[in-house]
Amino acid sequence: MRFQGTALAALLLFASTAAWAEDGDAARGTALYKQRCAVCHGLDGGGGQGPALQGVLGRKAGEVQFGYSRALRQSGLTWDVDTLERYLAKPQSTVPGTTMVVATANAKERADVIAFLATLKPVAAAAPTAPAAQSSAAPAQVGKLLEGRAAFGDFRADAPGVRRHITVDALPAPYETQSARNPSRVVEPAADAMPRVPDGFKIEKFAENLAAPRILRTAPNGDIFVAETAAGRVKILRGTGKAEKIEVFASGLEGPFGIAFYPASNPRFVYVAEVNRVVRFAYKEGDLKASGKPEIIVPQLSPTSGGHTTRDLVFSKDGTRMFVSVGSASNVSPGGDAKSGDALRAWEASRAIGAAYGDEEKRADVLVFDVDGKNGKIFAAGIRNCVGLAVHPSSGDVWCSTNERDGLGDDLVPDYVTRVKEGGFYGWPWFYLGAHEDPRHAGARPDLKDKITVPDVLLQSHSASLGMVFYDGASFPAAYRGDGFAALHGSWNRALRTGYKVIRVRTRDGVPTGEYEDFLTGLVINDREVWARPVGLTVAKDGSLLVSEDGNGTIWRVSYRGAAR
């Protein structure tokens, strides 16, 4: 009977899939998938920011190796055609709390994508690897500066106080190692699990059981705004030491991420960057709920919205300009047919040096607008995915926390944190870190080779640097003031796992030294499993540092136990 039931289920799935394939066009679905889905889910085993979809039809949700949200891990779903249709149409309605942001509103496009997915055959599962023992070598590196290739390493060399300085001359050649697909699996933390922080600091939970919290911002009155991006809402957390009150400030948003207050003191508006627009809500200090509907400030950031979907938002120090980061639609595509000659010169003259085109128009850029959303233009180009934006409190420089490209090997290309130069071109997709040509675009744009701005602080490759903040509080030791913090979400395109930590970015008089230092670690269990993935950072009004993680929905509070010095 068990065999008959299984066979019947398989026949029903086959019949349902076949019927759907007749309704959908797999060829059109292939094009849609490449444009909107492949940057996360990959194709032919690539990708890694989302789970592999080969053989997804008939598979249980959360079954393959990947860092799924708690909501999806516990959903109990099986991906049949009807479930995929509902999930693609409204991910959050189907699985509340999922980290899937991109919905496909058009029913015909959903049918086409599902028809394409039906053509993908399951891939053989990789042989399991034995869990890696935690290394006892990491503490011995505390305080020591790791340079050159010694700075690459993996999670076993991480510990609070470990310092790194990665330089361009230490980079390996492309494909020196095979490009890996090694996503982590997020598991429930042990009851007493807590990240490691430097001696003298204390870490505790500020809030928990949130729906994949991402960007954090501190309002002038001390309220903490948090973007629950996949849930389409912004919440407010109020409390000292712990979130004692949690309210939904605004909901019904499309992938909210960046949040900013304007003006900086006594703000009248809360700005929110969605997947492809910027809105603002009327606000007065102490509001726990938006008083009305959002006003649309920028109706469209770019012609396309697939691929990387996080958009951060900050205002200049003088309050006259609004910066918005827009990540690329793909891993490393220039976006369409190559331009040359007069057409290329005209394109760049009207946009920026190195500006991509086609599906990548106004992507992989930092855009700048007036505060009312007018007079938008490209501020800097060729920045593959500037997930986090921050403004240095003394210099006023705009900084990016950036995910670089995948597919060139374990130690290429380093992610980076950098000051963003107006008019600068940072290389993507043709070059990286100066005149290093991406072999996938060999000979395509020799005119750009000597026009590339090299980023300030190079990070371990594939660490996935997301949110960042500068420390402007008064409770940490004085040496921290003006330094940056960045949240490293963690690698998938690396055989040896890296990231999954918070780093301190060292500066001197507002200028980066090129070094960074592990600040919060201990989130990796072994080669396969992690229990948290950091995303957002903010300095609370009391000077503590708050850190969000979207694996299990927690916000931590890090405070200094000694007197500031």
mmCIF file of all heavy atoms in Angstrom, residues 536-560:
data_model
loop_
_atom_site.group_PDB
_atom_site.id
_atom_site.type_symbol
_atom_site.label_atom_id
_atom_site.label_comp_id
_atom_site.label_asym_id
_atom_site.label_seq_id
_atom_site.Cartn_x
_atom_site.Cartn_y
_atom_site.Cartn_z
ATOM 1 N N GLY A 536 21.961 43.722 10.036
ATOM 2 C CA GLY A 536 21.867 45.156 10.293
ATOM 3 C C GLY A 536 22.580 45.570 11.565
ATOM 4 O O GLY A 536 22.754 44.771 12.495
ATOM 5 N N LEU A 537 22.978 46.844 11.607
ATOM 6 C CA LEU A 537 23.695 47.401 12.752
ATOM 7 C C LEU A 537 23.197 48.814 13.019
ATOM 8 O O LEU A 537 22.921 49.568 12.085
ATOM 9 C CB LEU A 537 25.198 47.467 12.462
ATOM 10 C CG LEU A 537 25.915 46.158 12.124
ATOM 11 C CD1 LEU A 537 27.220 46.453 11.405
ATOM 12 C CD2 LEU A 537 26.181 45.366 13.395
ATOM 13 N N THR A 538 23.104 49.167 14.282
ATOM 14 C CA THR A 538 22.828 50.558 14.635
ATOM 15 C C THR A 538 23.390 50.835 16.018
ATOM 16 O O THR A 538 23.516 49.918 16.844
ATOM 17 C CB THR A 538 21.317 50.870 14.583
ATOM 18 O OG1 THR A 538 21.121 52.289 14.642
ATOM 19 C CG2 THR A 538 20.558 50.221 15.737
ATOM 20 N N VAL A 539 23.747 52.081 16.254
ATOM 21 C CA VAL A 539 24.207 52.503 17.574
ATOM 22 C C VAL A 539 23.002 53.056 18.322
ATOM 23 O O VAL A 539 22.365 54.014 17.869
ATOM 24 C CB VAL A 539 25.319 53.559 17.470
ATOM 25 C CG1 VAL A 539 25.750 54.022 18.863
ATOM 26 C CG2 VAL A 539 26.515 53.006 16.700
ATOM 27 N N ALA A 540 22.657 52.423 19.441
ATOM 28 C CA ALA A 540 21.511 52.860 20.232
ATOM 29 C C ALA A 540 21.831 54.168 20.951
ATOM 30 O O ALA A 540 22.993 54.583 21.058
ATOM 31 C CB ALA A 540 21.129 51.777 21.240
ATOM 32 N N LYS A 541 20.797 54.801 21.462
ATOM 33 C CA LYS A 541 20.977 56.103 22.109
ATOM 34 C C LYS A 541 21.871 56.003 23.340
ATOM 35 O O LYS A 541 22.563 56.959 23.694
ATOM 36 C CB LYS A 541 19.615 56.692 22.478
ATOM 37 C CG LYS A 541 19.657 58.183 22.778
ATOM 38 C CD LYS A 541 18.269 58.779 22.880
ATOM 39 C CE LYS A 541 18.349 60.292 23.078
ATOM 40 N NZ LYS A 541 16.993 60.909 23.160
ATOM 41 N N ASP A 542 21.889 54.827 23.992
ATOM 42 C CA ASP A 542 22.741 54.653 25.172
ATOM 43 C C ASP A 542 24.174 54.266 24.810
ATOM 44 O O ASP A 542 24.992 54.000 25.691
ATOM 45 C CB ASP A 542 22.135 53.621 26.124
ATOM 46 C CG ASP A 542 22.087 52.210 25.528
ATOM 47 O OD1 ASP A 542 22.541 52.017 24.382
ATOM 48 O OD2 ASP A 542 21.585 51.296 26.218
ATOM 49 N N GLY A 543 24.495 54.221 23.506
ATOM 50 C CA GLY A 543 25.848 53.910 23.067
ATOM 51 C C GLY A 543 26.121 52.444 22.828
ATOM 52 O O GLY A 543 27.219 52.085 22.388
ATOM 53 N N SER A 544 25.162 51.579 23.096
ATOM 54 C CA SER A 544 25.353 50.156 22.794
ATOM 55 C C SER A 544 25.206 49.930 21.292
ATOM 56 O O SER A 544 24.660 50.768 20.567
ATOM 57 C CB SER A 544 24.349 49.301 23.570
ATOM 58 O OG SER A 544 23.017 49.639 23.212
ATOM 59 N N LEU A 545 25.713 48.793 20.832
ATOM 60 C CA LEU A 545 25.612 48.419 19.423
ATOM 61 C C LEU A 545 24.563 47.326 19.289
ATOM 62 O O LEU A 545 24.632 46.303 19.978
ATOM 63 C CB LEU A 545 26.962 47.906 18.912
ATOM 64 C CG LEU A 545 27.008 47.457 17.443
ATOM 65 C CD1 LEU A 545 26.905 48.665 16.510
ATOM 66 C CD2 LEU A 545 28.294 46.675 17.155
ATOM 67 N N LEU A 546 23.584 47.539 18.414
ATOM 68 C CA LEU A 546 22.558 46.537 18.155
ATOM 69 C C LEU A 546 22.863 45.836 16.838
ATOM 70 O O LEU A 546 23.260 46.478 15.860
ATOM 71 C CB LEU A 546 21.170 47.173 18.102
ATOM 72 C CG LEU A 546 20.707 47.910 19.363
ATOM 73 C CD1 LEU A 546 19.275 48.411 19.189
ATOM 74 C CD2 LEU A 546 20.813 47.032 20.603
ATOM 75 N N VAL A 547 22.664 44.519 16.822
ATOM 76 C CA VAL A 547 22.984 43.681 15.664
ATOM 77 C C VAL A 547 21.781 42.798 15.362
ATOM 78 O O VAL A 547 21.327 42.045 16.230
ATOM 79 C CB VAL A 547 24.209 42.783 15.948
ATOM 80 C CG1 VAL A 547 24.550 41.941 14.716
ATOM 81 C CG2 VAL A 547 25.405 43.603 16.402
ATOM 82 N N SER A 548 21.263 42.868 14.137
ATOM 83 C CA SER A 548 20.173 41.974 13.737
ATOM 84 C C SER A 548 20.739 40.771 13.004
ATOM 85 O O SER A 548 21.796 40.849 12.370
ATOM 86 C CB SER A 548 19.164 42.699 12.838
ATOM 87 O OG SER A 548 19.734 42.985 11.572
ATOM 88 N N GLU A 549 20.032 39.644 13.104
ATOM 89 C CA GLU A 549 20.386 38.463 12.308
ATOM 90 C C GLU A 549 19.086 37.839 11.815
ATOM 91 O O GLU A 549 18.101 37.762 12.556
ATOM 92 C CB GLU A 549 21.243 37.484 13.115
ATOM 93 C CG GLU A 549 20.575 36.804 14.286
ATOM 94 C CD GLU A 549 19.780 35.576 13.893
ATOM 95 O OE1 GLU A 549 20.044 35.010 12.821
ATOM 96 O OE2 GLU A 549 18.884 35.193 14.658
ATOM 97 N N ASP A 550 19.082 37.417 10.545
ATOM 98 C CA ASP A 550 17.829 36.971 9.942
ATOM 99 C C ASP A 550 17.681 35.456 9.870
ATOM 100 O O ASP A 550 16.714 34.961 9.305
ATOM 101 C CB ASP A 550 17.645 37.585 8.553
ATOM 102 C CG ASP A 550 18.727 37.181 7.554
ATOM 103 O OD1 ASP A 550 19.614 36.372 7.906
ATOM 104 O OD2 ASP A 550 18.698 37.684 6.412
ATOM 105 N N GLY A 551 18.630 34.704 10.454
ATOM 106 C CA GLY A 551 18.504 33.254 10.450
ATOM 107 C C GLY A 551 17.468 32.756 11.434
ATOM 108 O O GLY A 551 16.645 31.892 11.125
ATOM 109 N N ASN A 552 17.488 33.320 12.646
ATOM 110 C CA ASN A 552 16.534 32.931 13.687
ATOM 111 C C ASN A 552 15.794 34.117 14.290
ATOM 112 O O ASN A 552 15.131 33.978 15.315
ATOM 113 C CB ASN A 552 17.246 32.126 14.779
ATOM 114 C CG ASN A 552 17.481 30.683 14.359
ATOM 115 O OD1 ASN A 552 16.544 29.927 14.128
ATOM 116 N ND2 ASN A 552 18.749 30.296 14.226
ATOM 117 N N GLY A 553 15.920 35.296 13.657
ATOM 118 C CA GLY A 553 15.074 36.427 14.014
ATOM 119 C C GLY A 553 15.416 37.120 15.315
ATOM 120 O O GLY A 553 14.519 37.490 16.078
ATOM 121 N N THR A 554 16.715 37.354 15.546
ATOM 122 C CA THR A 554 17.170 37.919 16.815
ATOM 123 C C THR A 554 17.844 39.271 16.605
ATOM 124 O O THR A 554 18.439 39.521 15.559
ATOM 125 C CB THR A 554 18.181 36.963 17.482
ATOM 126 O OG1 THR A 554 17.615 35.651 17.544
ATOM 127 C CG2 THR A 554 18.546 37.416 18.890
ATOM 128 N N ILE A 555 17.744 40.143 17.605
ATOM 129 C CA ILE A 555 18.569 41.349 17.668
ATOM 130 C C ILE A 555 19.345 41.291 18.974
ATOM 131 O O ILE A 555 18.767 41.092 20.050
ATOM 132 C CB ILE A 555 17.724 42.637 17.604
ATOM 133 C CG1 ILE A 555 16.997 42.729 16.256
ATOM 134 C CG2 ILE A 555 18.607 43.869 17.807
ATOM 135 C CD1 ILE A 555 16.062 43.918 16.135
ATOM 136 N N TRP A 556 20.675 41.416 18.867
ATOM 137 C CA TRP A 556 21.532 41.420 20.049
ATOM 138 C C TRP A 556 21.919 42.843 20.424
ATOM 139 O O TRP A 556 21.976 43.739 19.575
ATOM 140 C CB TRP A 556 22.815 40.627 19.794
ATOM 141 C CG TRP A 556 22.610 39.168 19.561
ATOM 142 C CD1 TRP A 556 22.019 38.264 20.398
ATOM 143 C CD2 TRP A 556 23.008 38.425 18.406
ATOM 144 N NE1 TRP A 556 22.032 37.013 19.846
ATOM 145 C CE2 TRP A 556 22.630 37.078 18.617
ATOM 146 C CE3 TRP A 556 23.657 38.760 17.218
ATOM 147 C CZ2 TRP A 556 22.878 36.077 17.687
ATOM 148 C CZ3 TRP A 556 23.901 37.771 16.289
ATOM 149 C CH2 TRP A 556 23.513 36.451 16.518
ATOM 150 N N ARG A 557 22.240 42.998 21.690
ATOM 151 C CA ARG A 557 22.734 44.278 22.206
ATOM 152 C C ARG A 557 24.125 44.053 22.790
ATOM 153 O O ARG A 557 24.313 43.192 23.657
ATOM 154 C CB ARG A 557 21.795 44.816 23.284
ATOM 155 C CG ARG A 557 22.268 46.101 23.957
ATOM 156 C CD ARG A 557 21.237 46.568 24.986
ATOM 157 N NE ARG A 557 21.653 47.793 25.641
ATOM 158 C CZ ARG A 557 22.327 47.836 26.794
ATOM 159 N NH1 ARG A 557 22.652 46.701 27.414
ATOM 160 N NH2 ARG A 557 22.668 48.992 27.318
ATOM 161 N N VAL A 558 25.103 44.821 22.285
ATOM 162 C CA VAL A 558 26.479 44.734 22.773
ATOM 163 C C VAL A 558 26.796 46.018 23.523
ATOM 164 O O VAL A 558 26.699 47.117 22.965
ATOM 165 C CB VAL A 558 27.479 44.542 21.614
ATOM 166 C CG1 VAL A 558 28.894 44.391 22.164
ATOM 167 C CG2 VAL A 558 27.105 43.325 20.766
ATOM 168 N N SER A 559 27.174 45.889 24.777
ATOM 169 C CA SER A 559 27.504 47.055 25.597
ATOM 170 C C SER A 559 28.895 46.878 26.190
ATOM 171 O O SER A 559 29.418 45.758 26.276
ATOM 172 C CB SER A 559 26.474 47.234 26.715
ATOM 173 O OG SER A 559 26.398 46.067 27.521
ATOM 174 N N TYR A 560 29.481 47.992 26.599
ATOM 175 C CA TYR A 560 30.802 47.948 27.219
ATOM 176 C C TYR A 560 30.639 47.998 28.727
ATOM 177 O O TYR A 560 29.907 48.846 29.258
ATOM 178 C CB TYR A 560 31.655 49.115 26.724
ATOM 179 C CG TYR A 560 33.087 49.054 27.207
ATOM 180 C CD1 TYR A 560 33.915 48.007 26.818
ATOM 181 C CD2 TYR A 560 33.600 50.030 28.053
ATOM 182 C CE1 TYR A 560 35.226 47.931 27.252
ATOM 183 C CE2 TYR A 560 34.915 49.969 28.493
ATOM 184 C CZ TYR A 560 35.724 48.911 28.091
ATOM 185 O OH TYR A 560 37.025 48.839 28.534
#
